[in-house]
């Protein structure tokens, strides 16, 4: 029941010392002797006697009958001994679980991911994660809405783009390369612009409306290290990721989005990349999680795995 070793038994009244008193009491019952228990636990005999007197005084019950040859539990002592065994077994089990969790993390993890990123990048790789960590279960929410991690009980969220101050711990995991694209049908109708100046000669944009500011965002291009904004007219404005891509594929205008989202369309020629010499700025990708003194092992390994997975998505 009790690990042998040097135990420094204090006589204060906190929960930790009560636990030690239980361990001490069970050892006395099991060995039938104060002296044997004191020797077993490397404690002075006087400390053991004093601790049991305090324990009995606190419980208001006599736990042990002392005879010249042996110490036996009273009826109350037998009842208390049974409770001690169950409680100490529970404590040992919890501590063992935590020790094992550091070696083999386990438990349920609630995460929230952008829907497209989840579908195209994270979910296809999950078999690798579960092969490494078979005792972790994931609850995945998808969306770009604000999530109150503490109130909603979510362990972490992955977000793309610049973030305001949320009071959460943020870990920048990667940057996503963006591209400027238009459909093959759009290029046939409007031509392939060869400069930023040419863009403003009759070209249209699918205008992205920020869900936060509710304003249409300009197209952005890197010219050397400088960021240039270009505002184009458009016949359609959207605030959803799927609608934005859908409008571009339908030939309604030029759009800018992360490359990973449209790799297949670029390969097939359904979408054409425009002005590759002046790409849009890359998008930061950040994992947010609540501040906590000790990050659970299951959260730590999931965050590390996400970093490993997304680092390749340049």
């Amino acid at each position: 029941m009790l690990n042998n070793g040097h135990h420094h038994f204090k006589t204060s009244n906190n929960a930790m010392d009560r636990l030690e008193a239980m361990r001490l009491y069970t050892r006395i019952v099991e060995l039938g002797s104060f002296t044997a228990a004191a020797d077993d636990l490397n404690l002075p005999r006087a400390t053991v006697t004093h601790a049991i007197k305090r324990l009995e005084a606190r419980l208001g019950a006599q736990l042990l009958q002392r005879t010249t040859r042996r110490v036996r539990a009273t009826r109350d002592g037998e009842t208390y001994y049974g409770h001690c065994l169950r409680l100490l077994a529970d404590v040992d089990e919890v501590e063992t679980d935590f020790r094992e969790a550091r070696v083999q993390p386990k438990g349920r993890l609630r995460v929230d991911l952008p829907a497209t990123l989840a579908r195209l990048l994270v979910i296809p790789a999950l078999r690798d994660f579960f092969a490494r960590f078979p005792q972790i279960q994931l609850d995945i929410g998808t969306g770009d809405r604000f999530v109150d991690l503490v109130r909603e009980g979510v362990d972490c969220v992955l977000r793309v783009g610049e973030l305001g101050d949320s009071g959460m711990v943020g870990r920048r995991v990667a940057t996503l390369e963006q591209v400027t694209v238009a459909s093959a049908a759009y290029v046939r109708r409007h031509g392939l612009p060869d400069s930023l100046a040419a863009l403003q000669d009759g070209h249209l944009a699918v205008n992205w409306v920020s869900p936060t500011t509710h304003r249409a965002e300009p197209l952005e291009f890197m010219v050397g290290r400088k960021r240039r904004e270009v505002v184009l007219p458009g016949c359609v404005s959207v605030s959803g990721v799927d609608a934005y891509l859908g409008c571009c594929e339908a030939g309604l205008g030029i759009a800018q989005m992360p490359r990973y989202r449209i790799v297949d369309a670029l390969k097939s020629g359904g979408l054409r990349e425009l002005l590759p010499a002046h790409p849009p700025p890359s998008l930061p990708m950040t994992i947010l999680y609540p501040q906590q003194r000790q990050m659970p092992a299951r959260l730590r390994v999931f965050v590390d795995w996400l970093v490993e997975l997304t680092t390749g998505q340049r």
Side-chain angles (χ1 to χ4, degrees):
M1 171 54 60
L2 190 75
N3 293 327
N4 289 338
H6 293 279
H7 284 250
H8 302 286
F9 191 87
K10 305 184 190 77
T11 54
S12 68
N13 208 23
N14 66 34
M16 183 64 72
D17 295 330
R18 289 184 181 191
L19 203 59
E20 288 299 319
M22 286 184 183
R23 291 191 186 279
L24 176 56
Y25 173 73
T26 58
R27 210 71 193 112
I28 292 169
V29 172
E30 288 158 0
L31 295 174
S33 163
F34 278 75
T35 303
D39 290 344
D40 187 57
L41 301 177
N42 295 324
L43 291 171
R45 164 70 194 255
T47 301
V48 172
T49 304
H50 182 60
I52 294 303
K53 281 182 181 175
R54 283 178 58 84
L55 178 62
E56 290 180 323
R58 190 168 67 240
L59 295 175
Q62 184 182 346
L63 300 176
L64 297 168
Q65 285 177 332
R66 300 153 184 84
T67 65
T68 51
R69 296 180 57 188
R70 188 165 174 81
V71 176
R72 295 181 184 278
T74 62
R75 185 172 292 180
D76 284 341
E78 289 286 355
T79 303
Y80 184 67
Y81 176 71
H83 287 306
C84 286
L85 287 184
R86 285 194 295 276
L87 284 167
L88 292 172
D90 285 345
V91 170
D92 288 342
E93 183 181 349
V94 168
E95 290 181 350
T96 300
D97 281 351
F98 272 86
R99 282 194 299 272
E100 287 177 353
R102 284 200 295 274
V103 179
Q104 180 61 274
K106 61 181 176 180
R108 188 167 293 280
L109 205 55
R110 289 192 64 196
V111 302
D112 194 85
L113 309 170
T116 309
L117 196 71
R119 180 170 57 84
L120 295 180
L121 179 63
V122 179
I123 290 172
L126 279 180
R127 285 178 64 180
D128 164 67
F129 177 78
F130 290 127
R132 290 196 223 174
F133 306 106
Q135 297 185 60
I136 294 178
Q137 299 90 44
L138 290 178
D139 289 346
I140 299 176
T142 55
D144 295 294
R145 69 181 182 84
F146 170 79
V147 174
D148 186 331
L149 277 74
V150 176
R151 190 170 59 80
E152 297 182 38
V154 175
D155 294 290
C156 72
V157 298
L158 182 63
R159 290 294 177 257
V160 174
E162 297 296 340
L163 301 170
D165 182 20
S166 65
M168 297 287 121
V169 178
R171 181 171 173 187
R172 181 70 59 87
V173 294
T175 53
L176 292 177
E177 179 191 348
Q178 290 203 97
V179 287
T180 305
V181 291
S183 71
Y186 175 94
V187 171
R188 281 196 297 272
R189 282 200 312 277
H190 296 271
L192 203 61
D194 57 4
S195 66
L196 293 185
L199 260 188
Q200 294 168 302
D201 184 18
H203 283 281
L204 300 171
V206 178
N207 282 315
W208 170 260
V209 177
S210 163
T212 310
T213 64
H214 306 292
R215 289 197 299 268
E217 301 283 342
L219 298 175
E220 292 185 320
F221 300 88
M222 296 304 293
V223 179
R225 293 190 172 186
K226 291 188 175 176
R227 190 181 295 227
R228 281 274 306 276
E229 293 185 351
V230 175
V231 177
L232 293 182
C235 56
V236 61
S237 297
V238 298
S239 58
V241 171
D242 288 340
Y244 187 57
L245 175 57
C247 288
C248 181
E249 289 175 326
L252 299 176
I254 295 167
Q256 293 181 323
M257 60 194 71
R259 183 181 291 277
Y260 81 85
R261 194 177 288 158
I262 51 172
V263 168
D264 291 341
L266 287 170
K267 281 182 183 170
S268 70
L271 291 180
R272 300 279 302 276
E273 182 174 359
L274 311 182
L275 301 169
H278 301 299
S282 296
L283 286 173
M285 191 156 44
T286 308
I287 297 175
L288 296 171
Y289 47 88
Q291 290 184 325
Q292 47 203 315
R293 281 179 300 183
Q294 187 71 35
M295 182 190 283
R298 60 185 177 276
L299 177 56
R300 188 185 68 250
V301 297
F302 182 72
V303 169
D304 289 345
W305 178 79
L306 272 183
V307 171
E308 185 184 315
L309 177 68
T310 53
T311 299
Q313 305 302 309
R314 297 289 178 192

